[in-house]
Every structure is written in structure tokens, then in C-alpha cells.
Amino acid sequence: MEEDTDYRTQFSSLCFINDHVGFCGTIKSSPSDFIVIEIDEQSQLVNKTIDEPICEMSEIQPETKNFSKKTKLDLQNLSFEDGSNPEINTLARYSNGNQNNQSDAEKEDTINDGISRCEEKADVLNSFLDEKTNELLNNFACDIKEKWHSKTESFGSAPEFSLGSILDKNQRASLHSAIRQKFPFLITVGKNSEIVVKPNLEYRELCHLVSEKEAFDFFKYLDAKKENSKFTFKPDANKDHRKAVHHFVNKKFGNLVETKSFPELNYNAGTPNVAITVRFREKAHKRRKKPLESQKRKVTYTAFTLRKENLEMFEAIGFLAIKLGVIPSDFSYAGLKDKKAVTYQAMVVRKVTPERLKNIEKEIEKKRMNVLNIRSVDDSLRLGQLKGNHFDIIIRNLKSQINDSANLRERIVEAIENVKNKGFVNYYGPQRFGKGKKVHTDQIGLALLKSEMVKAIKLFLIPEDLDDPVNRAKKYFFQTEDAKGTLSLMPEFKVRERALLESLHRFGMTEEGCIQAWFSFPHSMRIFYIHAYSSKIWNEAVSYRLATYGSRVVEGDLVCLDEHVNENFSNSKVHLVTEEEESANTYAIHQVVLPVLGYNIQYPKNKVGQWYHEILSRDGLQTCRFKVPILKLNVPGCYRQILKHLHNLSYQLMEDHDVDIKAEGSLVDTAPLSLLISFDLDASCYATVCLREIMKHDV
């Protein structure tokens, strides 16, 4: 289907900046040979114990819970609390986030509060509309209902009722809301200062799927837009019927709300009833103007350091999400970490108290994870919110390069000191592009940039030539495109694949269905694939730049005027080198930057800039604006320094006495050498890339 090439093969062709000979060796013989510790913005290692007690948070809302051990994780949907007892309300339920933990008296207050709000809406209508207009509005509403209940419910042309001109803007807003709350089966439309009332045809369409009371309550819920509220339809054992309701809600209101099915907690039948719960998307809340203080009071944030061993980061987050009853997008982090390593990184999880996180410590140890420094904080983390990473690495089985007869120890010292002084080419590491040989993350990103949604899904699920459960499931999908059947074969720990397959099963393998499937991934993961494509192009661009101009800074190069910046700096800090500046050697090679693709970057004005345009044309992106509106992805781009230096370097050569020399068949009398090397790198730099420059050997 796609070219069967390993990006590591392509990576080996990228050029170096140093001219030493190098040496060979093996990294990551075991995860403990590669230790990564994040350095926070205060220059502290995140595995360092913080002497801060876990805060007692008396006003924190009760934690979310899993409905059952087999509850499937849906990356798209928000986490919901337990449904209230279905016997309390056998029809629809409309509740605040913590209603399920209210006392009976509190529930009664909630009901009374709802009644009082309805009375308030009636008062608004009475205060703004004269008696005759109010009566005509009620008659219009009754006529609509009668026609819908009659055998012949066709309107011909849709009827309208005008409330006349309302000059005051605030009065118009209040009337819009009051009418839709009192009559959810009607909609209001503004025409300049006039308010026109029409029948809500979407309401009628929903009445064909659920009871009228459910439709009535659902549209009231939708219009109220109450933060942290949820709405639950009547439990339903018919899977096809539930699928139709899911499809209706997502098709009509998918940009505002999201849905999820949960089994009833107390069921005796062999086939349990399942209820569909609806909740507002978080971004919809953010668009509504709420006092910042109010938002912060209502959301719990718990920070911690995650230690994981030989575990992919997204897999670790998926497992934690299941145990805590939240979703992966509730976790935030400053950077991605290697799989085959022991890594320590800062994380923040929303809607989970420190006590709740501490309660799962024993469970997650079985997955080679630990949580440290658990504490309450005020906000989530963002990508790039770190100073860098510290690395402790052991390189084993050290050998000279082929046909190199020089002393190995001298070669190793020469290589390390060279890179210490001159730096290394700041390539994105091969792990950014995936481990597979068939397809890489950059190819998926290219398909997304070209809005080829079906192709991107197929690329994501293309199997490798391996006989394991994951690839057997992918092979089945590749042959059949049967999402439901593939889902039954896909192992539970493959959180991303299962989330995507569940969406494909719900929405189908169409262009629209594939768009919905991509929304089963959080935004950070969707944009990751586009960043992978941009990263691959950047790697090739810097290799071309160094091969063309070497270490000279030439006319048309881009340089950064501020040496103490990360990748996300503005165009104002980027300067185009002039002919005079080239002649005067005004700038050094470590100041040169190249753009990472996006809509808000400038290109070099020399052969490198021309190369960029040729590559974009080759990939069919000559008119690309680096925005994918259907996936809500915008890629402004950034700049990246082509050279970087390591900091706080220390190293030690040691003999590996654990290796049985005779068993190895070696003619050498001494034990093999290993190199223990420690250093710090800035954020977004790759240790494997630094080691490649030192060793002059792909690692």
C-alpha cells in the first residue's frame, strides 16, 4: 500500500557536523541502561522528592468511578460519574456533575431549583411581551404541537411567528433564552432587531427516536448550557436503537456535546440495559464567558511525577485513565518520553484528587509504573513547559569502527570531547516517526494535511510483517475493513487503536466516519502526526543545508537573535542574513535556524528556501495553508536551531565483567568495554541523536 522503507535507513543518510571517526556500541540493552529524568522550569529534576504534604481538599467533588472493569475507554468523550439510580427517574435525567452524590434533600432542592428556573422564564416572557403577544405565542406553540401529533404532520412551508422588533439587545437575548427554555420544540431566529419563532425540526426528528419527554428535556438541557452538567437518556437494551441516537446527537450537535454509553449499575438480566449520557465538550465551556475564579474553584488538578519502565507514554496514560475513571485528555504533560527506557516526567491530571491517585499506587506497580511527588496544583501542564532532560546512559559492547586500528579508548574520548566542543546536529530522533517498517507517523501526517481522512486511517491501521495479536487484528481490518470484528481481536492495552475502531464501528468507514474516528483522539495526538511530517522535512532540510553550505553562515540564512529561546519564538526574533553580514562573518553556525513547516513562518532566501518549495510541491502541498479545519488543527510552525550542545557532561569507561568472554568466543583477553555517560539536553533535543553524532554510528 505504501513504500516499505524503514525511516532508520533514511535517517542514516543524514549528515554530521563533526569529522571524528567514532565507534560502535549498543544502547538500550535493557531499559535500565537508558534513564531519562525531566528537568522542570525551575531547573529541578522531577524525581527529586518534594517536601510538601498532600493537601487535604475538603471541598473537592467526589471522584469519578468506573462503571465496571470492562468499561471501554473512549478517548473522545469526557468522563462521567455514576448514573443515578434508574428507579428514581425512569426517563431522562438532567444533572450537575455531582448530583449522584447528593442527599435526598439536596435532590429535592435541585428539582425545586429547576421549577423555579422555569417560573423565572415565564416571568421574563410576561415582563417583555404584552398580554396579546404572549397569548399568540402560546397559541402558536400549541398549533405546532397539535400538527405534530396529528396523522398529517407536514407543514408545507414552515410556519413562523414574529414577536416584532425588540430594540434592546439584552432584552432580545433574554427573550431568545426564555422562549427556548419554555418551548424546547421551538427555535428563535434574529432578523436585525426582530425575533422570529419557528418549529424546531430537529426536536421533531429526535421524537422519532426517543419519547417526547426525553426530547423536551434534552433540548432544554442543550439550551441551558450549564457547565459540568450531563443528560442521560432512558436506558435501552436495543443496540441498533442506541446507535441511531448516538448518530443523531453527534451529527446535529457534535461540535457542542459528546455522547457515551454506560451499562446500568444494577441489572439482573443477561443483556444489560445501557444508557446514553451526553455532556458538553470542554471547549464549548471555554467559549462561554465564565469568571476565571469560578472555573478554578470547580476543577481539581493533581500534579505528580510518573516513573515508567519499558512502557509507551500513551499506553501508560491510557492505563492510568482507566484506573482513575477519567479519559486520556484529562492528563497533561510537558514532553513525550522514550518507551524502552526508565523515564521520569511531570504530569497533571484533572478531576482527580491527590488521595485518589495515591490509592492506585499498588495497582499501577504491576504495569511498571510509579507515581511520586503527588500534590495539588492550580492548572494543567502544556507541551514544552520544561527546561530539558537529564540522561544517564550505558553504551555496551564498545568496538572500533570497521577497518579502524586506532586505540578504542582514545577514539571514544576524542568523539565525546569533539561533540562537547562543537555540538551536534539537532535532528528529530527516529522514535518520532514510529518503529514500523511499513508506515510511519509522518506519512499519516501528510495524509491529514491533504485531508485524505480514509487514507490516514488505513495508514494508521496497516499491519507489520509480524505474527502477534496486534498485527493479526490489523491484518484482519486490512482485508475486511470490518471495524467491529477487528475490535474483538485488538488487545485491550492498545488504547488508541481500540478508540479509533469503536468510532469507525459507530460512524462507518466513510470520509465523514473517518473524520469522527480521528476525533476519538485528543487534539494533542491528532496534531502529533502533522508535527511528525514537519519534523521529517526539517531533518532533510538541515541535512541539505549542511551538505550545501557546511558550517558557513551565508546570505539568505535565517538566524535567531536571541540565544536563550525555545522553538516557539516569533518571526520578530528571526533575521535574514545579508550579503554584507556573510562577508563580515557576523553570525556563527549555532545561531542558524530553519523553519518547521506551518502557516506563520518564513523560508530562507537561498538554495535551502528553494529546496523547501520543491519538497512541498513534490508532496502535493504547494497550496497547503497548514490548517485542517475539519479536524480543528492549526499548525503555525516554528523555528529550530540546527545545532545544539550538551550540558553537565560526565563519562566513565568501565569493563563489563558480567559478560562471559569465552562464551562469546572472543580472542581478546580483556572484558568488553562499556561507557557510562551522563548529560543534560535542552527541551525537544534527542539523546539518541546526540549519541549518533558521538559514535558516528546509528543507534
Side-chain angles (χ1 to χ4, degrees):
M1 179 176 163
E2 284 290 322
E3 56 188 276
D4 185 353
T5 57
D6 188 339
Y7 188 70
R8 280 172 170 74
T9 304
Q10 301 174 36
F11 197 87
S12 64
S13 65
L14 300 177
C15 69
F16 299 96
I17 192 69
N18 290 280
D19 56 6
H20 58 261
V21 175
F23 55 94
C24 300
T26 305
I27 70 165
K28 298 188 179 181
S29 296
S30 70
S32 58
D33 281 355
F34 201 95
I35 298 174
V36 187
I37 307 170
E38 211 165 71
I39 305 171
D40 65 21
E41 291 183 310
Q42 288 71 47
S43 300
Q44 297 296 313
L45 297 174
V46 299
N47 67 334
K48 181 181 176 183
T49 302
I50 298 174
D51 297 324
E52 179 182 341
I54 294 176
C55 297
E56 295 294 331
M57 306 187 70
S58 57
E59 302 198 6
I60 296 302
Q61 302 295 342
E63 289 303 316
T64 57
K65 301 174 184 175
N66 285 328
F67 285 87
S68 69
K69 288 185 179 178
K70 292 187 178 179
T71 299
K72 292 177 181 175
L73 185 67
D74 187 332
L75 296 177
Q76 181 182 2
N77 297 308
L78 295 171
S79 60
F80 305 130
E81 296 162 356
D82 316 4
S84 55
N85 189 331
E87 294 178 3
I88 293 173
N89 183 357
T90 57
L91 290 172
R93 299 189 291 281
Y94 169 24
S95 67
N96 284 336
N98 67 333
Q99 179 178 343
N100 303 313
N101 301 74
Q102 291 175 322
S103 65
D104 291 340
E106 287 171 324
K107 288 177 181 174
E108 187 175 340
D109 289 342
T110 303
I111 294 168
N112 292 334
D113 182 50
I115 293 170
S116 66
R117 282 197 297 272
C118 290
E119 291 171 350
E120 286 174 14
K121 298 301 179 185
D123 290 342
V124 169
L125 293 176
N126 290 333
S127 62
F128 289 148
L129 300 178
D130 58 60
E131 186 176 342
K132 183 177 181 182
T133 305
N134 214 335
E135 183 181 352
L136 289 172
L137 173 62
N138 279 283
N139 290 341
F140 177 77
C142 290
D143 287 343
I144 297 298
K145 274 298 192 68
E146 285 176 11
K147 286 183 179 178
W148 276 350
H149 289 151
S150 67
K151 298 290 184 184
T152 56
E153 57 183 65
S154 174
F155 289 120
S157 60
E160 295 182 355
F161 174 71
S162 174
L163 298 181
S165 181
I166 312 292
L167 297 178
D168 186 274
K169 183 179 179 181
N170 293 329
Q171 285 188 15
R172 288 201 304 273
S174 298
L175 275 171
H176 277 294
S177 177
I179 291 168
R180 291 196 302 266
Q181 281 291 300
K182 186 177 180 182
F183 308 111
F185 51 90
L186 301 178
I187 57 172
T188 56
V189 180
K191 294 183 177 179
N192 296 322
S193 59
E194 180 188 11
I195 294 179
V196 176
V197 184
K198 298 179 179 182
N200 186 346
L201 300 182
E202 290 173 344
Y203 176 98
R204 184 56 185 157
E205 189 177 342
L206 182 58
C207 284
H208 290 302
L209 296 172
V210 300
S211 68
E212 187 168 349
K213 183 182 187 323
E214 288 179 277
F216 187 92
D217 290 344
F218 172 72
F219 276 91
K220 283 190 70 172
Y221 159 80
L222 209 59
D223 183 68
K225 297 184 177 69
K226 189 167 182 181
E227 188 169 3
N228 294 327
S229 64
K230 66 181 181 181
F231 178 88
T232 305
F233 287 102
K234 182 179 178 181
D236 183 3
N238 187 323
K239 187 173 182 180
D240 290 335
H241 182 258
R242 292 197 309 271
K243 186 174 179 181
V245 176
H246 274 296
H247 184 72
F248 172 84
V249 175
N250 281 285
K251 182 179 179 183
K252 301 290 185 182
F253 313 106
N255 62 331
L256 184 66
V257 297
E258 46 198 2
T259 63
K260 186 163 186 168
S261 292
F262 289 127
E264 285 187 282
L265 292 182
N266 301 313
Y267 61 83
N268 297 315
T271 304
N273 280 342
V274 176
I276 296 175
T277 303
V278 183
R279 189 165 179 169
F280 286 103
R281 290 185 183 277
E282 183 190 359
K283 287 188 178 179
H285 290 320
K286 288 182 178 177
R287 284 194 294 269
R288 293 195 296 279
K289 295 178 181 177
K290 297 284 182 181
L292 187 60
E293 297 80 9
S294 171
Q295 287 185 24
K296 297 235 173 163
R297 277 200 305 271
K298 292 178 182 176
V299 181
T300 305
Y301 293 97
T302 294
F304 61 99
T305 296
L306 174 67
R307 179 197 183 276
K308 61 179 183 66
E309 180 177 341
N310 201 28
L311 193 64
E312 188 188 31
M313 194 190 80
F314 291 122
E315 185 182 339
I317 288 175
F319 186 79
L320 287 171
I322 292 172
K323 292 299 177 185
L324 293 168
V326 294
I327 58 171
S329 57
D330 286 322
F331 290 83
S332 56
Y333 41 85
L336 306 179
K337 295 292 176 281
D338 299 72
K339 176 185 176 180
K340 193 172 182 182
V342 175
T343 66
Y344 296 82
Q345 65 187 116
M347 282 198 177
V348 173
V349 59
R350 295 184 307 158
K351 300 178 286 186
V352 173
T353 64
E355 293 78 11
R356 173 77 181 110
L357 181 58
K358 196 163 182 62
N359 286 340
I360 68 164
E361 283 184 303
K362 295 292 183 186
E363 292 182 76
I364 66 174
E365 284 178 7
K366 300 170 187 174
K367 285 284 283 186
R368 305 178 303 282
M369 286 190 285
N370 303 93
V371 285
L372 322 167
N373 296 328
I374 303 169
R375 63 204 184 278
S376 296
V377 291
D378 295 329
D379 209 345
S380 55
L381 283 168
R382 67 181 187 279
L383 279 172
Q385 194 175 341
L386 73 166
K387 188 169 183 180
N389 293 284
H390 172 79
F391 298 88
D392 292 316
I393 298 168
I394 299 176
I395 307 174
R396 300 190 186 275
N397 305 317
L398 296 175
K399 299 174 185 175
S400 299
Q401 296 277 22
I402 298 173
N403 298 325
D404 180 23
S405 58
N407 181 279
L408 177 58
R409 289 175 180 268
E410 291 177 2
R411 284 292 194 217
I412 293 169
V413 173
E414 173 197 36
I416 295 173
E417 292 298 324
N418 246 8
V419 173
K420 176 184 175 182
N421 295 325
K422 292 185 66 175
F424 60 95
V425 187
N426 191 24
Y427 295 119
Y428 290 98
Q431 57 267 49
R432 194 174 181 93
F433 310 102
K435 293 184 175 180
K437 294 186 177 180
K438 286 288 182 73
V439 157
H440 302 279
T441 52
D442 59 281
Q443 293 171 316
I444 298 171
L446 177 58
L448 292 177
L449 280 171
K450 296 166 81 170
S451 294
E452 296 173 341
M453 298 299 150
V454 176
K455 180 180 180 181
I457 291 287
K458 289 180 177 179
L459 287 171
F460 180 82
L461 291 171
I462 194 169
E464 296 290 338
D465 294 327
L466 299 170
D467 188 25
D468 58 65
V470 173
N471 281 292
R472 283 197 291 271
K474 288 183 175 182
K475 284 171 188 171
Y476 177 80
F477 181 83
F478 188 67
Q479 293 163 356
T480 65
E481 294 188 4
D482 173 13
K484 183 179 180 181
T486 308
L487 192 58
S488 67
L489 298 172
M490 187 65 67
E492 290 287 337
F493 71 88
K494 299 303 286 186
V495 178
R496 284 175 288 176
E497 286 79 357
R498 291 187 62 83
L500 185 134
L501 288 166
E502 284 175 353
S503 289
L504 290 177
H505 173 49
R506 181 186 299 179
F507 298 109
M509 192 63 187
T510 61
E511 191 75 16
E512 179 63 31
C514 289
I515 292 170
Q516 292 296 329
W518 280 112
F519 276 107
S520 69
F521 289 1
H523 178 272
S524 60
M525 199 178 296
R526 296 198 302 275
I527 205 163
F528 167 78
Y529 293 102
I530 291 178
H531 286 163
Y533 172 76
S534 300
S535 301
K536 179 194 172 190
I537 299 304
W538 191 92
N539 277 1
E540 295 172 356
V542 71
S543 186
Y544 175 82
R545 160 65 182 77
L546 291 171
T548 304
Y549 297 117
S551 297
R552 294 183 301 118
V553 180
V554 300
E555 180 184 0
D557 271 338
L558 298 173
V559 293
C560 178
L561 302 179
D562 184 351
E563 294 185 20
H564 305 288
V565 293
N566 58 21
E567 291 185 15
N568 300 308
F569 50 88
S570 64
N571 280 318
S572 63
K573 294 186 178 181
V574 175
H575 171 72
L576 197 68
V577 177
T578 65
E579 183 180 1
E580 293 77 15
E581 289 168 336
E582 177 188 352
S583 300
N585 293 320
T586 306
Y587 301 105
I589 187 64
H590 70 269
Q591 294 175 282
V592 175
V593 298
L594 283 178
V596 180
L597 296 174
Y599 60 79
N600 192 32
I601 50 101
Q602 59 175 312
Y603 295 101
K605 301 291 185 182
N606 51 30
K607 291 180 180 179
V608 181
Q610 182 181 344
W611 180 92
Y612 268 102
H613 293 298
E614 288 172 356
I615 291 298
L616 291 176
S617 179
R618 177 201 72 186
D619 290 346
L621 297 177
Q622 56 268 46
T623 60
C624 179
R625 300 180 62 191
F626 291 93
K627 296 182 180 182
V628 189
I630 53 177
L631 293 185
K632 299 183 180 178
L633 298 178
N634 293 319
V635 187
C638 61
Y639 298 91
R640 183 174 173 92
Q641 291 171 300
I642 68 173
L643 294 187
K644 278 287 187 177
H645 285 79
L646 36 72
H647 315 287
N648 301 321
L649 170 69
S650 65
Y651 58 94
Q652 176 186 354
L653 281 167
M654 54 188 182
E655 293 184 351
D656 195 345
H657 293 286
D658 293 334
V659 178
D660 187 338
I661 302 169
K662 292 180 181 178
E664 294 278 319
S666 173
L667 298 176
V668 183
D669 223 3
T670 57
L673 279 179
S674 292
L675 172 66
L676 172 59
I677 184 168
S678 298
F679 52 83
D680 298 345
L681 291 179
D682 294 338
S684 193
C685 293
Y686 290 79
T688 49
V689 169
C690 178
L691 294 178
R692 175 181 179 268
E693 184 85 42
I694 291 172
M695 298 168 67
K696 291 291 186 77
H697 173 71
D698 287 328
V699 294

